[in-house]
Amino acid sequence: MSQPNQQAVIELLGVLAYGELEAFDRIAQDALMAPDLAGREAMSALAVKEYGHFQKIVEYLRDSGADPAAAMQPFVGAVDSFHQSTAPSDYPEAMVKIYVGDGFAADFYREVAEYLDPTTRRLIDEVCGEYGQSEFLVPTVRSLIAADETLASRLSLWGRRLVGEALSQAQRVAAEHDAILELMVGRVDLAEVGRTLARLTDKHSERMGQLGLNA
Amino acid sequence: MSQPNQQAVIELLGVLAYGELEAFDRIAQDALMAPDLAGREAMSALAVKEYGHFQKIVEYLRDSGADPAAAMQPFVGAVDSFHQSTAPSDYPEAMVKIYVGDGFAADFYREVAEYLDPTTRRLIDEVCGEYGQSEFLVPTVRSLIAADETLASRLSLWGRRLVGEALSQAQRVAAEHDAILELMVGRVDLAEVGRTLARLTDKHSERMGQLGLNA
């Protein structure tokens, strides 16, 4: 692994690790909004899963000789800003945020992982491949919107806002941290960037559709 | 296992399970008050451990043919009241609450477990025996109070309030749920109740002393 590439890997795993730790704490809080113990248990289990991802990335960073706290620190501001500007106001919003937000982030990390060494790529695929297991979210959201038409349009709007905020924080991270960008510069032409964005958007629309919402 | 005894076991495991689920969510929230990522990681790891306890008890209830949600439901009010009346206002209060509160609860459950069948007793000993592993709390609290004298007296007061609130909720639970009390009635004389309370108080004072606080 060349030096600049290693720096990019550490930065990428740093933001991913902090994102998982933050997701753990936020989802554990969201769990308190569940209307019953079954929902609360399911949400808490999701939070614990995010903590497991966090641990895997931290171990990988340590094994690579990197300091996990130092790798995460530069991204605390952007990740916290995202969550502060997208604090769910109720349980349905919390569920959509987890399904749509985690899904979008996972797709993004897997796209970038294509440019990394196979070992790091495997780790990211493993950690980001699990968001689909939160499948209790889909039937729960669908049954809620089936019983409440205005909820569906509110949640559709919410899904669009989530992606807007995520993209604006991603831009901030990219602007402040060169290594990740440099990884792709010279290897990616503008058309490929366009295709990547199209893939991310398509998958986002697909997830919104699975929830019964308009992207 | 006789019928009334079985009812007592389900009630006891119900309140213990809900206590662990609530502890998970509360400690995950407390983690956000940590001043650095290391503290946040340590607190989050504690929360995840509580969730592991919750899962073990839920599995045990299911294997015994009981409905975990039904077993927990009657205790939601008392456990939530305890946490609402003892919401920590900062990180030091959160750490003392976990160390002192969890320790006191663990001792209490282990005292009651003495009256149960060996299998249930083993489960309770296992689940309640782990609170001591939160040993990062002790040096962290000690170093904070070494640097701040008024903090020590505020936290000593806080520790006394925690135990007062815990006892008042325990009394409420005992008054509303006969089975647990009946388990001990006729088998325990007043002197034994006194000795049990003395043991609980001694261990509480010991924990406060470990933190460098006055009980």
Side-chain angles (χ1 to χ4, degrees):
Chain A
M1 205 157 41
S2 69
Q3 209 49 28
N5 206 337
Q6 169 120 36
Q7 181 57 25
V9 166
I10 291 172
E11 288 195 356
L12 196 71
L13 294 180
V15 62
L16 179 54
Y18 187 68
E20 297 282 4
L21 182 61
E22 183 76 11
F24 161 75
D25 284 316
R26 299 285 165 178
I27 299 174
Q29 279 185 59
D30 293 343
L32 294 170
M33 295 197 279
D36 52 35
L37 282 172
R40 185 150 159 206
E41 184 177 352
M43 291 284 264
S44 301
L46 274 183
V48 169
K49 199 180 283 174
E50 307 276 14
Y51 189 80
H53 298 162
F54 165 75
Q55 276 186 309
K56 269 185 198 157
I57 305 161
V58 162
E59 274 162 30
Y60 188 88
L61 280 167
R62 265 190 206 121
D63 291 347
S64 317
D67 173 5
M72 289 189 276
Q73 197 63 59
F75 304 101
V76 168
V79 174
D80 286 0
S81 287
F82 170 73
H83 285 287
Q84 273 151 21
S85 61
T86 58
S89 64
D90 57 14
Y91 189 57
E93 285 191 2
M95 286 190 294
V96 170
K97 180 174 171 181
I98 295 168
Y99 191 69
V100 163
D102 274 24
F104 193 86
D107 285 342
F108 169 78
Y109 286 114
R110 281 187 290 195
E111 288 282 353
V112 180
E114 293 292 319
Y115 303 97
L116 304 177
D117 61 286
T119 321
T120 309
R121 191 160 66 231
R122 255 197 309 279
L123 172 75
I124 291 178
D125 282 345
E126 189 190 341
V127 162
C128 293
E130 277 198 320
Y131 83 92
Q133 290 183 13
S134 59
E135 290 297 356
F136 90 94
L137 298 168
V138 173
T140 312
V141 172
R142 290 191 80 99
S143 77
L144 286 172
I145 61 174
D148 182 350
E149 266 182 41
T150 59
L151 182 65
S153 56
R154 174 159 69 90
L155 292 179
S156 294
L157 215 64
W158 174 242
R160 287 197 282 280
R161 211 183 112 203
L162 288 171
V163 169
E165 293 286 345
L167 285 176
S168 104
Q169 292 305 329
Q171 255 175 331
R172 178 179 155 190
V173 166
E176 288 171 6
H177 305 278
D178 290 345
I180 298 174
L181 267 187
E182 273 168 20
L183 187 71
M184 288 174 260
V185 168
R187 300 170 62 179
V188 179
D189 61 13
L190 215 59
E192 179 54 30
V193 172
R195 281 193 293 273
T196 303
L197 273 175
R199 276 195 300 272
L200 290 175
T201 314
D202 282 353
K203 285 184 189 160
H204 169 66
S205 303
E206 211 176 282
R207 269 188 298 271
M208 291 291 276
Q210 278 158 359
L211 293 173
L213 302 173
N214 297 318
Chain B
M1 205 158 40
S2 71
Q3 211 48 29
N5 205 336
Q6 170 120 38
Q7 181 57 25
V9 167
I10 291 172
E11 288 194 358
L12 195 71
L13 294 180
V15 62
L16 179 54
Y18 186 69
E20 297 282 3
L21 182 60
E22 183 75 12
F24 161 75
D25 283 316
R26 298 286 165 176
I27 298 174
Q29 278 186 58
D30 293 343
L32 294 170
M33 295 197 278
D36 51 36
L37 282 171
R40 185 149 160 207
E41 184 178 351
M43 291 284 263
S44 301
L46 274 183
V48 169
K49 197 179 283 175
E50 308 275 13
Y51 190 81
H53 299 161
F54 165 75
Q55 275 186 310
K56 269 186 197 155
I57 305 161
V58 161
E59 274 162 29
Y60 187 88
L61 281 167
R62 264 191 207 119
D63 291 348
S64 318
D67 173 5
M72 288 189 276
Q73 197 65 58
F75 304 101
V76 168
V79 174
D80 286 0
S81 287
F82 170 72
H83 285 287
Q84 273 150 22
S85 61
T86 58
S89 64
D90 58 14
Y91 188 58
E93 285 192 3
M95 287 189 293
V96 170
K97 180 174 171 182
I98 296 168
Y99 192 69
V100 164
D102 274 25
F104 193 86
D107 285 342
F108 169 78
Y109 286 115
R110 281 186 290 195
E111 288 282 352
V112 179
E114 293 292 318
Y115 303 96
L116 303 178
D117 62 285
T119 321
T120 309
R121 192 161 64 230
R122 256 197 308 278
L123 172 75
I124 291 179
D125 282 345
E126 190 191 341
V127 162
C128 293
E130 276 198 319
Y131 83 92
Q133 291 184 14
S134 59
E135 290 297 357
F136 89 94
L137 298 168
V138 173
T140 311
V141 172
R142 290 192 80 101
S143 76
L144 286 172
I145 61 175
D148 182 349
E149 266 182 43
T150 59
L151 183 64
S153 56
R154 174 159 68 90
L155 292 179
S156 294
L157 214 64
W158 174 242
R160 287 196 282 280
R161 211 183 113 203
L162 289 171
V163 170
E165 293 286 344
L167 285 175
S168 105
Q169 292 304 328
Q171 255 175 333
R172 179 179 154 190
V173 166
E176 288 171 7
H177 304 277
D178 290 345
I180 298 173
L181 267 187
E182 273 167 19
L183 187 72
M184 289 175 260
V185 167
R187 299 171 61 179
V188 178
D189 60 15
L190 215 58
E192 180 54 30
V193 172
R195 281 192 294 272
T196 304
L197 274 176
R199 274 195 300 272
L200 290 175
T201 314
D202 283 352
K203 284 183 189 160
H204 168 67
S205 303
E206 211 176 284
R207 268 189 298 272
M208 290 291 276
Q210 278 157 359
L211 292 174
L213 302 173
N214 298 317

